[in-house]
Amino acid sequence: MSKKELEQALEIFDSEIKKAGISRRDAFKLAGLGGAAFLTSGSQAEAATVAKASEAKGKILIVGGGLAGVSTAARLSNSLSNPDITIIEPNEKSVSYQPATTLLASGVYKSKDELLYDTKDFMPKGVKWIKSKAVEFEPDSNKIKLENGEVVDYDYLIVAAGIVLDFGQIKGLEEVGDAYSVGDASKILKAFGDSGVTSVYNIDTAEHMWKETQKFIEEAKKGTKLRGVFTAPATAVKCGGAPKKVMYLVNSRLNEAGARTNVDLSYYDDGGKLFGVKDYADAIEKQFIARDMKWNFNHNLIEVDIANKTAIFDKHWEEKGEYDPDLEEHEILKKHQKVEVPFNFLHITPPQKAPDEIGNSPIGSEKGWVPVNKESLQHVKYKNIFAIGDIAAVPMGKTGGTVRKQYKVLVDNLISVMEGKEPKEKFEGYTVCPLITDIGKVMLAEFDWSAKPTPSFPLDPTQERWIWWLLKVYMLKPMTQYGMLSGKA
């Protein structure tokens, strides 16, 4: 987004909120986004909260040049008097505005070009960029081997490599294998074809999803009875609200077309809740009922028969077995049943994991994620290693809103370690998920590890609001680009 585009976004935003009698500054306060002070008439200097630059020295290596990696590098550059920072990132388009893939998939954004921008345009001044991929980690000797054969050493390591889309775990999509949010999507698109199978989790497939959605709607307008199926897997996923957002948006577009009564919309989730925070889960349940959207828990998508348009789920539950008098409790038996669900339109939220070269390395864990102290973000074993964003093994929250809180804590704690001190700053688990519930409506779900709503303003956080839609559509992108990627939001 250029400065001109930013000004245009602000004009639209200001015009709309003026009709509601709200100022721009108050609107940002309502969303808990005060860190973008430079967008509310303050200066960029006022937006920065970094204290006087530290004299600490050390060679800092960041694996991953997406939102988390670049934001952290920028803040470190602002916080150190003599920074020595290198980013390892192979993708020249890795810095993307991922939260808008749902908007692209529903036709609100018209092209993937509105989401993508070049990594080089936001690389912090003075930061070295190596365009390769980290493939081997030797934390005992502070070295990393790259795909190009180069070996890079470091004093301090930050892992911000993001998440991998594990389509290959689903039978019928083995040929797709691992994929990423940005990059070559040819294998996914070839597998999906024009079958009505979609996914919002890659930028190219999000664009493809809008085409499939339009075809689905046109068929429904003819009076054909159709079925849309939406899934959520057995793994942690980035933006846990997205599997539901796409269903809300398809529902909205069907209503616009006057074809909603011809379509059954059903959500299949491996878990047992509509959301991890009860207040929001209860609100979503009411919204689903009002919109005649069905849901099914304990259903994990394990296979897709694209030719026959059938999704196969592992339905699982627990039953009491024999009573053990010694333990004075019943044995718990895990039961499984294959359930075949026909579809005309299928949205797949793929299983997700850390990149194998990291998850299976000495800095990884049994579950693949990088194990860190959830408050300090410092590695549990290697004290000169930190992790941030989707790849960090912390409870809840794999969102850009999470990173916005994490990277400030990480930078302060890393500098403390560089200065020979103990890390004292604590990440409290804050996550914000702008849950799109309709074209023009968003429920701003804010919460932390207490698993309770933590709204930034005294408004009912379970209510769908138009003002949050304006923030989502017009303002979060420039706030990401000119705020977080500068290390100042």
Side-chain angles (χ1 to χ4, degrees), residues 183-204:
D184 184 13
S186 58
K187 288 184 179 179
I188 314 175
L189 294 173
K190 181 180 178 182
F192 288 179
D194 60 356
S195 64
V197 179
T198 67
S199 182
V200 77
Y201 275 85
N202 170 278
I203 286 180
D204 288 311

Side-chain angles (χ1 to χ4, degrees), residues 167-301:
F167 281 102
Q169 196 178 127
I170 302 169
K171 187 176 179 181
L173 296 176
E174 298 95 336
E175 64 200 67
V176 175
D178 290 351
Y180 298 87
S181 299
V182 182
D184 184 13
S186 58
K187 288 184 179 179
I188 314 175
L189 294 173
K190 181 180 178 182
F192 288 179
D194 60 356
S195 64
V197 179
T198 67
S199 182
V200 77
Y201 275 85
N202 170 278
I203 286 180
D204 288 311
T205 61
E207 197 168 51
H208 168 264
M209 180 176 169
W210 176 231
K211 296 175 183 176
E212 292 300 302
T213 300
Q214 289 173 291
K215 287 164 51 180
F216 183 58
I217 292 170
E218 287 304 310
E219 192 63 29
K221 285 169 66 176
K222 297 176 184 177
T224 310
K225 297 299 181 181
L226 303 174
R227 188 168 193 175
V229 174
F230 302 78
T231 76
T235 67
V237 300
K238 64 167 66 188
C239 189
K244 291 174 279 289
K245 292 178 192 178
V246 291
M247 186 172 173
Y248 279 116
L249 286 165
V250 170
N251 172 74
S252 186
R253 290 304 193 190
L254 283 164
N255 279 320
E256 283 181 349
R260 177 64 179 86
T261 55
N262 295 325
V263 180
D264 176 276
L265 296 178
S266 299
Y267 176 69
Y268 290 80
D269 195 318
D270 177 77
K273 301 176 182 177
L274 284 170
F275 205 85
V277 177
K278 186 179 184 305
D279 298 69
Y280 298 127
D282 291 346
I284 292 169
E285 181 176 323
K286 291 176 183 176
Q287 293 160 9
F288 270 35
I289 292 170
R291 290 164 170 81
D292 190 27
M293 301 193 308
K294 303 176 180 65
W295 68 93
N296 305 269
F297 293 141
N298 303 320
H299 281 70
N300 184 34
L301 181 69

Side-chain angles (χ1 to χ4, degrees), residues 137-144 154 157 361-363 382 384-385:
F137 292 78
E138 300 176 12
D140 292 321
S141 57
N142 292 344
K143 295 182 185 299
I144 289 179
Y154 60 85
L157 174 65
S361 78
I363 69 169
Y382 302 101
N384 64 334
I385 298 178

